[in-house]
Structures are given as C-alpha cells and as structure tokens.
Amino acid sequence: MFDAHVLWQTLRMTRPLRTLLALPLVALSACPADDDALPPPILPQDASADVAFDVASDGPGSDVGLEDASVEDAPLEDAPLEDGATDGDPGGPQVLFIGNSYTAWNELPAVAAQVSEDAFSPLSALLPGARLMQHWEMPETRALLESGTIDAVIVQAQSMEPAVDTAGFLVYAQQISDLAEANDVRTIWFSTWGRRDIEPEPETFTRQLEAGYRMAAESNGDEIARVGEAWLIADQRYPEIQLFDADLSHPSPAGTLLAACVIAKTITGENPIVPIGTPHGIGQDDAVSLCAIANDGVPCNVRESLCEGSCTPWDSANCGGCSVACADAASCVDGACV
C-alpha cells in the first residue's frame, strides 16, 4: 500500500521537481483516482446539467448555488449578509477563496471580510462538490492565481478528500501551492470539520482531515486555518450552539461565523471583531463567544490549554486552564473537577 507520509516527505524535499512528479504520484495513490473514489457532485434540483464556474465578489446578493459532492437533497439558498456587510475595500488586499459549498454556505468569504473589519476584499472560485483536481483543471482558477491581483488564497478541498484520498489530494495541493508561490500569492489551507452525517462523534475524522491539510501546508511552506479544531473546541465549550446545518454536514450560520473568524485571524493576524449587527442574525453573545476561540489562532487541541508556550492536556493539575488544580482526589472531566 502506498504511504501518504512517504509522499509528504518526498514533496518536502523535492519542491523544484514537483511538476515532474505529479503524474507518477497519481498512479501510485493507494486510493482510487477516478471520480468514483468519492461521491459524485450533486447540484441543486433546479440547477442546469452543466457545472458552472463562479468567480464573484462575495457581497450581498451574490449567487452561492453550490452543493457539496456527498450530500444529497440538501437545498441551497442565497444567504445574503445582514445590512452593513460589504465586499471589502476594492483597493485593499484581494483574497481568493477556492472551494465548494462549505465555503459558499452562508457566504463565508464575505463574513470573513466583515469580521476582519474589511481588511481585505474577498473573491470566490467555487465549484459544486469539487476536489482539488477539478479546481486545478479550471483555467479560470489558474488565471486568477496568475493575474497579479491576488494577495492570498484560501483553499478548501472536498469534505472528505484530504482523509480518504490523501495522496491524490497532496499532488494537486502541490500544484496549486506552486502556482501561488510563483505569483507571490500566500496560500492558507482551510482545514474543515468531520461530518456528523457520517460520524456522530466527528473528532477522529476532523483530525484525519487536518493531518492531510497539515501535510499540504508543511510540505509547501504554507499556512493552515484550523477551523475543524475550532469547531471541536466550540462543541466542548458551548454544546448548546449548533454549528451544523440540518444536514449535519454543512455549517449553520454559527458554524460559518466561527470558520470566518478563524480564517480572518489567519489572514490578518488580528483578532476578529464581531459587528453589532451579527451576520445572519446569530445572537450577539454566542457570536462573541465563538469568535473569541479564534483569538489565539487555535494553537492547541480541544481539552488542552496553552501553558508557558506549550499545549498542555487537561488533567487534575491543569483542569480547564493552566495550573487550575483539582482538590483532594477530584478528577478532571471536560475541564471541570468532579
């Protein structure tokens, strides 16, 4: 069986040769490389048979009619931002979002710009249910990266691809990253969450997804936005806040807000700011609590605290925080002494 970790090490050491490596690495992938390896794209019921390429500024009223490859019968709706949302400063940095319905849902790019106080202007290159190979094969996507107008690119793969077809994912991650680097475009990988329609407890799959995204980021000298881990932290801290939409795959408005805050923090390095008119009517207190998870950049995993520069697992000596000790024989359970 082909080892994706061997591929990762190869890519790290042979960046100048990657164009030559791409085709043989596809053939060596342990997972099937054809479109049957993952579920096929499902378009909205009223969509045309042709898959449309969408490149648009993600302001109010933009079309987000995309559907994730593996979620059937989940209707899509336009989800304009609340009054006061903007496209960002047209003269400021341009950030391109490459992805599918996880990025389109609730207009994540526009929300990310909003919580960054319009520090950048978002653009989208979105395809329904797309894997990285499909994005790479779109000449419009490559033209945008080569245009000289893009400052950073946020890349989101198909919802399962980095975990179930890691080798194939890494090949096209390398292609996208190399093209971005050649055009002085900063690359940030949008590490997504484990789906509850597949795993009722998605922590393990979230980590598998991040492992794939982390291989791509580290082998290419890129960055990673740990959105999936932020979701795990939010679920532990605020279980009453629903991060998933009804299909248990796509994000709810609260899930999109959290993703946007993590991405905005990664792009700008500044703590995201929740506006008074929260996106999509999310409660102000919930919005502030969720966005605060992004303030430190999500350096640690759920049930860990950053103590003196190191991520420390919660235990009876550090229960829910650094040096928060449980008295006597009490145990630490989910950050509380019991």
Side-chain angles (χ1 to χ4, degrees), residues 56-308:
S57 184
D58 290 291
S62 63
D63 182 8
V64 293
L66 300 175
E67 179 52 62
D68 188 76
S70 49
V71 180
E72 296 184 3
D73 302 324
L76 291 165
E77 300 176 354
D78 286 339
L81 290 177
E82 299 297 321
D83 291 343
T86 71
D87 292 342
D89 178 7
Q94 301 283 309
V95 177
L96 174 63
F97 286 74
I98 294 176
N100 52 49
S101 60
Y102 278 23
T103 297
W105 224 251
N106 306 312
E107 293 191 313
L108 184 150
V111 177
Q114 187 178 12
V115 299
S116 73
E117 297 188 302
D118 300 321
F120 59 87
S121 181
L123 301 172
S124 295
L126 306 175
L127 285 170
R131 299 160 71 181
L132 289 192
M133 176 184 69
Q134 293 164 293
H135 284 299
W136 176 252
E137 290 176 347
M138 292 301 297
E140 296 92 338
T141 301
R142 298 197 302 273
L144 278 170
L145 290 173
E146 294 172 331
S147 67
T149 64
I150 303 299
D151 298 281
V153 60
I154 311 298
V155 188
Q156 175 245 320
Q158 196 269 351
S159 63
M160 298 183 292
E161 180 184 6
V164 304
D165 185 18
T166 308
F169 163 79
L170 289 174
V171 167
Y172 290 98
Q174 158 232 305
Q175 302 275 48
I176 292 171
S177 180
D178 283 352
L179 183 61
E181 183 187 48
N183 289 278
D184 296 321
V185 176
R186 176 182 169 205
T187 302
I188 298 170
W189 295 94
F190 173 4
S191 182
T192 55
W193 49 87
R195 297 165 44 169
R196 278 197 169 153
D197 63 331
I198 294 176
E199 293 288 343
E201 299 298 331
E203 185 168 338
T204 298
F205 198 67
T206 296
R207 297 278 166 70
Q208 292 171 343
L209 288 167
E210 183 172 309
Y213 280 112
R214 191 167 293 282
M215 287 184 202
E218 292 182 355
S219 64
N220 295 306
D222 300 333
E223 300 165 71
I224 184 170
R226 302 186 72 207
V227 173
E229 194 64 39
W231 272 42
L232 295 177
I233 293 169
D235 192 51
Q236 190 277 327
R237 290 186 189 174
Y238 313 113
E240 71 281 2
I241 300 178
Q242 296 299 317
L243 301 178
F244 286 93
D245 206 349
D247 62 9
L248 300 181
S249 173
H250 290 87
S252 69
T256 291
L257 175 66
L258 178 53
C261 289
V262 174
I263 290 169
K265 171 70 175 186
T266 309
I267 293 171
T268 68
E270 302 293 332
N271 289 344
I273 303 296
V274 177
I276 296 300
T278 57
H280 305 301
I282 303 166
Q284 189 75 27
D285 290 344
D286 286 351
V288 170
S289 296
L290 288 173
C291 224
I293 293 172
N295 284 351
D296 60 3
V298 198
C300 299
N301 292 342
V302 64
R303 293 182 293 279
E304 291 182 346
S305 296
L306 186 64
C307 302
E308 298 182 352

Side-chain angles (χ1 to χ4, degrees), residues 303-323:
R303 293 182 293 279
E304 291 182 346
S305 296
L306 186 64
C307 302
E308 298 182 352
S310 298
C311 292
T312 302
W314 291 351
D315 56 22
S316 58
N318 300 276
C319 191
C322 303
S323 302

